[in-house]
Every structure is written in C-alpha cells, then in structure tokens.
Amino acid sequence: MALISAPSVNNRFTQLFIAALLLVGIFWYITPSFEVAKHISIPGLHSSTPKPPPSTSTNALSPKPRHPIDHLIAEADGELKILLAKENHNVHDAAQAYRARRGRQPPPHFDEWFAFAQNHSALMVEDFFDQIYTDLNPFWGVPAKQIREQANAFLHRISVRGGKTTQRTDVDERPWLNLWEDMVGSVAEWLPDVDLPINVMDESRVVVPWEEIDGYMQTELASRRVVEAAELKTEILAAAGSLKALDESPLPEFDPLFEGRGPYWPLAVVGCPPESPARKAYIETDFSTAPPLTGGFPEGSYEGYVQNWTLAKSPCDNAALQGLHGTFVEPISIATTKKFFPLFGGSKLPMNNEILLPPAMYWTDDPFYSGGKEHGQAWDKKKDGMIWRGAASGGRNKAENWKRFQRHRFVSMVNSTSVRSAEPSGVTPPNFALPANNPYDLAASPNETSFADWISTWSNAAVVHLLCFPENPADRSHCSYTDRYFSVADQMPMKEQYAYKYLPDIDGNSFSGRYRAFLFSTSLPIKATIYQEWHDSRLVPWKHFVPVDNTFADVYGVMEYFLGNEGMRVGGHDEVAREIAMGGKAWAERVLRREDMQIYTFRLLLEYARLCDEERDRMGWRESGVG
C-alpha cells in the first residue's frame, strides 16, 4: 500500500477546506434571510457582533398586534412632551406663565420661592401647581378675617410665627402632625405668619354642597385681575397683626359641626355637580350581596382600559363606587362637615374641600412607607410577576359587607384558587366578577381552567391581617366570615417586594402611603384609587405608572399585555413595562423629591397667606424693572 506524503496531505486538506468554504458561501448567498447566520457555527471563525442577551420565553413569542394599550402609551408620550415644553428657566418667564394660567399677579415673595426652587434643581412647570388652585380658589369667596379666625381657633393646627413653627393638638403625641410641622418648618423662614388647621384623621372631612362652592368659584373668577405694578401691595402685614392679636386674646375653639352618622355616600355626594350620576343614583344600604359588576368594559374607558384618569377616579361620575369601595360602604370613622373652612390634609376625594399638603407618610424615613434606601434590583434580575401585601383595610369590614371592599376584591381576582373555583362551575364569585364573554380578548378565556393556571404563573397577592369586626384579640389570623376565601400571609418588607416587576397599589382607609416609594422603585406601579394627592398634575398615566379601574376589570388585560401567556403562545411587552418603570423612577427623582415637597408647600403657603389678608385683591409680587 502506497504511503501518502506530508505535502500531499497538506494539499488535500487545503483543497477540502477551500471546497467547504465555497459550499458555505454558496449556501449563504442563496438563503433568503440572514437568520441562518444565527444557527451556523464554524470553529475558529467569530462574528464581531456581540450576541444579544437571552430572551424570556414569553418575550420570544409575538405579542398581539395593535393593542389598545399601545395607543394609550403613545398618547402619554405626547402629553409628557407638551408638559416639558412648558418648563420655565427664569423668574420672569415663571411669572408670565403664572399670570397666563392664574389670571392674577403671583403672590408676594414669588421671587424668593423661585430662587429656592432653582437652588434645589427643580423642574419648573406652572401646571405642576394646579392642585393648589383647585383647593384654594373657593376661598376667594370667603372673607379673609373669617379664614384667619377659623384657622386660629381650630383644635389641631400648625402655626408659623416669625419664621418658626409650633403645633397645637389634644394629645401628647401625633406622629403625622410632627412630620407635617417638620415639613412646614423646613421652609418657615421664608413664610409669612399663618395658621394651618390639620386633619388628623385618615378620612377626608369637609364636603361643602357643590352649589355653595360654585358660588365661591364664581366670586374667584370675577376677582381675577392682573394688578398694575404701581398698585401692588407687596407685603403681607395686616394678617400678621391680626394673628398676633388672636394669639394674645384667643377666640373660643372653632366647631365645624362634624357629623358622625352614616352612611357616608349621601354625605359625600352633595359635593358633586347636580347633574352628575352620583347625585341621581339610588342610595344603597344593603352591602351583603355580590358587588354590582358586569365583567364588561368600565364606563369611559378606551376599549376597556383607563384613558381619562381623572374620570376613572371620580365617584361623582362612577356612582357604582358607592358599593365597590370601603370609603362608602363603611369607613372606619365618619366626622364630616358641610361648613367651609380651611383644613389641610394629605389626601381627599374629588368632592372634598380639604387643602392638600404632601402626605406626612411621604416625608417620613420609616422604611414601611419609604422603602428605605434600597429601591430594587435591575429589571432583568426581578421575578416576572406581581406582588401585593397589605391589610384587609379600606373601612370596617363585617360579615354583611366585606364583599364590597376593594382590597378583598383585588386579592380574590388575582388569586388562582378563587378564580379556579368560579371558572368551569359557573358559580358566581362572592366578591368579584370574571370578564363576561371575554371582552378583553384574553388568550385564555376566563371560563376555562387554563385561565387560573395562567394567573398562578405571575400572581402573589395576600392579606397580612384580615381586620375582622368584631375582632377576636386572641386569634387575629382568622375571621369567621372570610376564612374560607383568604389565608393570611406574613408581612413582607417593601425592599423584598421590589424583587418583583409589578407592584399594585390599592386604596386602604384612604390613599395608599406606599405609592411614592413604589414610584421611586425599579418596579412598575399599577395604581387604582379614588383619592387625590398633591402630585397628581405631575404624573402622566401610562408614562410614569399604569392606571387600572377601581372595578379591576382591566387587570387581566394589563397583565397579559406586559407578561403575555406562554402557555397560549402569546408574547408580552416586557421592554415596554421596563421603560415605564424606569421612566417613572427617573421622573420621580426629578419631581417627587423631598425638595419638591418643600417647593410645593412653600408655594401653597404663600398663596394661603395672601388669602388671609384683607388687601389680597391688590396684593402680589412686583417684578424688578416693571412699573
């Protein structure tokens, strides 16, 4: 047998190698797509293009085309661009924007306020302060002397005198009052002397008949005038002198005539317009039945999803909320008045007349509300699911009314066990409704067993305290009328909740004190509420958080949009969720900082101090070089 020499082996190898390369080249050329490059590997040859990170299974699938949420997100993008285009960079432009939006001169010391904001690197957009004028404008219809005297004589108050703060209350220690005093104290050196009556309860307390408030608003509108610079009174002095006299010779304690008898709904709806659905609605008194839910699209939604956030939160426009929210079913306490007077608080219903401060819970460093210094790991390190932990609060839940409470309903709706028990059997759930006839076009129909299976892949929601009434002090983990529907879980620190991508935020006895911390986190807040807060005009739904309706009918569609349904081969929008979460966090770090709360409080109290002065109609800031 002839031996093959080394040179011939080398030649043969060279020929085979060249032939292989030619075959690969021909194959590459005739292949209609470059996708083949992803599946071919030639040892020793490396692409200079880095490999993309591995995708999760649902993201590797195609999502449904032309989803309604795509449209809502695009609208939100445009809304934010319009807002950012209004930024003011100097005090002259800020004053011009003020006059155009408010119809009068800025308050005295406006330049000091603007300098304070600029020194704290604030994003200055006049629209951010709209809530101040929603709250204060009716007081232009009330004599300044009446405002001062009511405020000074109210039991719970914070006072500013000579740049220092004090408080008055009926007990030795009220933590929220201490926090609010600290907040006001942080800007007190620039403030005129004022008295701030404080709502020390969770619930809102002032509901003045709409017709009366409308009369005050007409007075405010008629009083608008941009006073000429030469006429301006630029210092708040008369009010300060009057307050000194009141301090020296106090008036009897002011009694707002708070009412303590419910139900609360008829007390609250007097603050709604006469033609609103709430004013015309039948008043419910029996809450023992299942809630009035159809499983269809919420009123005013865009193909089932929240488009108008103000409308979605409004009890005046959504009369069914009287049987869907603990605030109206049976609040923990009722102490409300129809008497119009200045009362400051951290949240309120749209028909209430309190003056909003940033909530004390947002000013505290307590990790229970703030989440501490940790805001969560990177998005791709989080669990692909939803977490909710909280007490079964919202009011006083009892055997005869618990089915109507919002937190009970939410936990049941995202609990695969409760959903599974209702799917194939056709049994009506006691406190929620599955979407009827699948209006959201979910990949797994709600009347199929696969629907509960899908929920189990992403939901982790549980109550940490059932808050039964009456409660058994010896066994707080059980409740005779809800034990068959709920099991109690251990509390979970907020920093541990940040390990999940999706964080629902649901009203408790009033607003949820965790919302600001959620916005600062690297997770995505999903928000349902009927309450107003100081920051509402700063946040754009679908851009900084995901809004859901108070019926929670849309929650399944929202979660399928973001997570998809791997079992049904439907992809999600994980990257879109990440963009909203991180965009919301970055935005919160620009407009919801402690400094922004100071700036808001500073501006609010300048306006309030002007209202307390008899010379208020010609009072304002005189711009340098004008007049």
Side-chain angles (χ1 to χ4, degrees):
M1 181 177 179
L3 298 175
I4 300 176
S5 64
S8 65
V9 171
N10 290 338
N11 290 339
R12 182 70 55 83
F13 180 79
T14 301
Q15 292 168 358
L16 290 172
F17 183 71
I18 292 171
L21 286 176
L22 288 171
L23 286 171
V24 169
I26 293 169
F27 182 59
W28 191 287
Y29 177 77
I30 65 175
T31 301
S33 170
F34 64 82
E35 287 296 313
V36 69
K38 298 178 180 178
H39 306 288
I40 296 177
S41 177
I42 304 176
L45 298 180
H46 302 282
S47 169
S48 60
T49 303
K51 293 182 180 179
S55 299
T56 62
S57 56
T58 52
N59 290 337
L61 302 170
S62 296
K64 293 178 181 177
R66 295 181 299 279
H67 197 285
I69 291 177
D70 294 330
H71 168 75
L72 294 170
I73 290 173
E75 277 193 339
D77 288 342
E79 185 177 342
L80 182 61
K81 287 178 182 176
I82 292 171
L83 204 58
L84 287 171
K86 298 180 180 182
E87 182 181 3
N88 296 304
H89 298 280
N90 57 66
V91 69
H92 170 76
D93 290 347
Q96 289 280 64
Y98 181 101
R99 297 181 192 107
R101 197 165 183 85
R102 314 301 172 196
R104 60 180 82 245
Q105 291 284 13
H109 308 294
F110 184 80
D111 55 339
E112 295 177 28
W113 168 80
F114 188 85
F116 179 89
Q118 275 203 321
N119 290 339
H120 289 84
S121 305
L123 179 64
M124 299 302 291
V125 175
E126 181 60 27
D127 302 39
F128 285 177
F129 304 94
D130 283 352
Q131 187 65 51
I132 291 175
Y133 303 92
T134 298
D135 298 343
L136 291 184
N137 279 355
F139 287 97
W140 286 92
V142 178
K145 180 175 183 289
Q146 178 179 319
I147 299 171
R148 289 196 310 273
E149 291 181 350
Q150 289 174 337
N152 184 265
F154 189 69
L155 176 59
H156 312 285
R157 79 175 194 217
I158 294 169
S159 297
V160 179
R161 298 288 188 272
K164 305 293 183 181
T165 61
T166 59
Q167 65 170 268
R168 181 179 74 179
T169 189
D170 58 347
V171 295
D172 291 338
E173 186 76 11
R174 287 191 180 273
W176 296 148
L177 195 60
N178 293 342
L179 286 163
W180 268 319
E181 184 187 356
D182 185 64
M183 183 192 300
V184 173
S186 70
V187 294
E189 64 179 284
W190 296 280
L191 295 177
D193 289 356
V194 287
D195 291 318
L196 287 70
I198 299 292
N199 178 10
V200 296
M201 293 174 60
D202 286 343
E203 296 84 3
S204 309
R205 303 183 72 182
V206 182
V207 189
V208 181
W210 183 90
E211 293 82 353
E212 182 178 337
I213 292 295
D214 186 57
Y216 297 146
M217 292 297 288
Q218 295 304 318
T219 301
E220 186 276 331
L221 193 61
S223 75
R224 291 187 185 185
R225 181 171 71 100
V226 178
V227 179
E228 294 295 327
E231 299 178 47
L232 280 172
K233 178 178 171 58
T234 60
E235 291 295 334
I236 302 173
L237 298 175
S242 174
L243 289 176
K244 182 178 180 182
L246 288 172
D247 291 341
E248 293 172 351
S249 302
L251 296 172
E253 183 179 314
F254 169 60
D255 182 6
L257 303 176
F258 289 119
E259 299 178 47
R261 297 179 62 184
Y264 186 62
W265 179 260
L267 297 175
V269 297
V270 300
C272 297
E275 297 304 310
S276 65
R279 287 280 286 266
K280 298 177 179 180
Y282 168 79
I283 296 176
E284 284 193 76
T285 56
D286 180 7
F287 299 111
S288 62
T289 59
L293 297 168
T294 65
F297 289 169
E299 289 286 332
S301 65
Y302 176 76
E303 298 184 29
Y305 300 97
V306 173
Q307 181 176 38
N308 185 327
W309 184 226
T310 302
L311 179 67
K313 295 191 300 179
S314 170
C316 293
D317 296 289
N318 298 279
L321 282 170
Q322 70 166 308
L324 295 173
H325 201 286
T327 291
F328 305 118
V329 174
E330 185 167 344
I332 289 293
S333 57
I334 297 176
T336 189
T337 182
K338 295 179 181 178
K339 191 173 185 63
F340 190 48
F341 78 103
L343 184 66
F344 291 78
S347 70
K348 66 177 179 178
L349 299 169
M351 62 273 271
N352 285 126
N353 304 108
E354 275 88 345
I355 302 166
L356 292 183
L357 287 163
M361 293 175 185
Y362 291 169
W363 192 253
T364 182
D365 292 326
D366 184 347
F368 184 82
Y369 296 106
S370 71
K373 296 180 180 179
E374 301 295 327
H375 298 294
Q377 53 270 72
W379 183 262
D380 59 359
K381 303 296 183 184
K382 294 177 181 287
K383 296 176 184 177
D384 221 11
M386 166 197 288
I387 183 74
W388 187 85
R389 290 290 185 274
S393 60
R396 182 173 284 111
N397 80 81
K398 303 176 180 177
E400 62 268 26
N401 67 17
W402 72 269
K403 299 172 184 176
R404 303 299 192 91
F405 278 70
Q406 67 275 9
R407 288 190 169 188
H408 291 77
R409 180 168 66 256
F410 178 78
V411 172
S412 293
M413 288 184 71
V414 296
N415 182 281
S416 61
T417 302
S418 62
V419 170
R420 185 173 285 111
S421 68
E423 280 175 337
S425 63
V427 174
T428 302
N431 65 329
F432 69 97
L434 291 171
N437 302 315
N438 198 12
Y440 287 88
D441 191 29
L442 301 169
S445 178
N447 60 3
E448 299 173 353
T449 56
S450 58
F451 186 66
D453 293 339
W454 170 66
I455 291 173
S456 70
T457 65
W458 52 262
S459 179
N460 183 352
V463 296
V464 299
H465 197 312
L466 290 168
L467 296 177
C468 297
F469 186 87
E471 184 180 63
N472 179 3
D475 187 5
R476 296 185 173 185
S477 63
H478 291 282
C479 186
S480 61
Y481 51 87
T482 54
D483 271 352
R484 61 180 292 198
Y485 303 107
F486 301 96
S487 58
V488 174
D490 292 334
Q491 289 195 3
M492 181 182 292
M494 204 177 294
K495 65 180 181 181
E496 293 181 20
Q497 296 180 40
Y498 292 161
Y500 289 75
K501 290 183 177 179
Y502 302 94
L503 300 176
D505 195 48
I506 314 297
D507 288 341
N509 294 334
S510 58
F511 79 111
S512 170
R514 296 179 288 185
Y515 186 35
R516 178 175 176 267
F518 282 4
L519 288 162
F520 271 85
S521 79
T522 55
S523 298
L524 177 58
I526 298 175
K527 180 71 171 174
T529 187
I530 61 173
Y531 284 92
Q532 293 180 339
E533 297 184 53
W534 74 283
H535 57 219
D536 287 351
S537 60
R538 297 171 178 238
L539 297 172
V540 179
W542 298 110
K543 187 65 179 178
H544 304 131
F545 67 98
V546 171
V548 291
D549 191 77
N550 284 289
T551 63
F552 309 124
D554 48 354
V555 71
Y556 302 128
V558 165
M559 295 310 297
E560 184 183 272
Y561 175 82
F562 290 121
L563 288 172
N565 186 327
E566 185 175 2
M568 303 298 291
R569 310 300 296 164
V570 172
H573 294 80
D574 182 77
E575 183 58 26
V576 176
R578 188 194 70 81
E579 288 179 2
I580 299 175
M582 300 313 296
K585 174 177 168 57
W587 186 249
E589 290 168 350
R590 291 189 73 187
V591 304
L592 300 182
R593 306 164 302 158
R594 285 173 67 91
E595 294 91 337
D596 297 302
M597 291 189 273
Q598 290 176 293
I599 293 162
Y600 185 93
T601 302
F602 191 167
R603 169 81 168 260
L604 168 66
L605 296 183
L606 287 182
E607 294 285 16
Y608 174 65
R610 172 164 62 175
L611 278 168
C612 292
D613 197 292
E614 265 77 16
E615 300 279 2
R616 63 193 186 184
D617 286 319
R618 64 186 187 96
M619 184 174 288
W621 173 67
R622 182 184 294 120
E623 188 167 357
S624 177
V626 177

